[in-house]
């Protein structure tokens, strides 16, 4: 199967490309650095040409702020390897005609997750709890309860350690 992976040079995308190739598929990475820009539209007509499946794994760049502002929205962080396995499995499998939810095994308020992460990395920036900050402020942050959801095994605190 030919699979175009937009964002295929990124942390998740490059692992998805690797997994798909190992499974015998023709996985083709595309990204801004290869001339495909999902915001400007450059290369977007050509990238999916001839592909059976298109996977979008782009991410927006972040800026370095003096403080970090995060809401206390509950999230279930998942390891990159767990995301890559789930995406590769769905990309190469029969069409779901639906949505498969995936998440990590633990639930954290996002502001606490930020404090934990920065402190483990020796980053002395302060996390300010801000219920209006970023895209996670707009969602309720439901945790996954659907029995069909896929929970990856690795705990966030184990990854940090
Ligand atoms: N990292 C995680 O643990 C994790 C966990 C769960 C979900 N996710 C989700 O997975 C997705 C990818 O995350 P990531 O961590 O792999 O991100 P990443 O390492 O920052 O990679 C981002 C990718 O997007 C590409 N990109 C950025 N702007 C683009 C543009 N305007 N046009 C085309 N390509 C563009 C980058 O290409 P170039 O830099 O080569 O130009 C790169 O391939 C995101 O939606 C993220 O929320 C990530």
């Amino acid at each position: 199967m030919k699979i175009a992976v937009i964002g295929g040079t990124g942390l998740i995308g490059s692992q998805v490309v690797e997994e798909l190739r190992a499974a015998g598929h023709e996985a083709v990475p595309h990204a801004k650095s290869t001339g495909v820009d999902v915001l400007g539209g450059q290369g977007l007509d050509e990238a999916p040409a001839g592909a059976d499946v298109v996977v979008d794994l782009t991410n927006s760049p972040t800026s370095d702020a003096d403080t970090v502002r995060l809401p206390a929205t509950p999230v279930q962080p998942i390891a990159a390897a767990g995301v890559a396995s789930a995406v590769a499995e769905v990309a190469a499998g029969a069409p779901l005609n639906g949505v498969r939810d995936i998440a990590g095994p633990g639930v954290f308020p996002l502001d606490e997750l930020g404090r934990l992460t920065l402190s483990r990395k020796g980053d002395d920036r302060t996390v300010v709890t801000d219920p209006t900050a970023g895209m996670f402020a707009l969602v309720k942050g439901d945790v996954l309860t659907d029995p069909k959801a896929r929970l990856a095994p690795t705990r966030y605190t184990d990854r940090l350690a």
Side-chain angles (χ1 to χ4, degrees):
M1 195 182 285
K2 183 170 180 180
I3 302 173
V5 183
I6 320 273
T9 60
L11 177 67
I12 303 286
S14 57
Q15 293 184 56
V16 168
V17 167
E18 209 174 289
E19 287 217 16
L20 289 171
R21 285 179 176 166
H25 299 288
E26 184 189 351
V28 185
H30 300 280
K32 203 170 174 188
S33 55
T34 72
V36 175
D37 188 345
V38 294
L39 298 180
Q42 293 88 347
L44 265 190
D45 289 337
E46 296 81 6
D52 303 293
V53 174
V54 176
V55 179
D56 178 5
L57 287 165
T58 53
N59 204 6
S60 49
T62 52
S63 60
D64 273 336
D66 292 342
T67 56
V68 177
R69 308 185 77 82
L70 294 171
T73 309
V75 294
Q76 277 179 265
I78 179 170
V83 179
S85 294
V87 172
E89 182 185 296
V90 171
L96 287 179
N97 294 318
V99 173
R100 173 164 308 156
D101 291 321
I102 60 171
V107 178
F108 298 81
L110 187 58
D111 55 346
E112 279 308 313
L113 195 69
R115 288 184 190 104
L116 198 64
T117 307
L118 291 182
S119 117
R120 266 303 169 165
K121 289 175 184 267
D123 186 324
D124 60 6
R125 283 179 292 173
T126 304
V127 174
V128 175
T129 305
D130 178 351
T132 68
M135 67 178 182
F136 280 96
L138 301 176
V139 295
K140 202 154 47 107
D142 289 334
V143 295
L144 292 188
T145 52
D146 182 344
K148 291 198 291 294
R150 175 177 169 141
L151 291 190
T154 311
R155 299 190 66 80
Y156 189 75
T157 42
D158 291 340
R159 274 193 284 149
L160 278 183

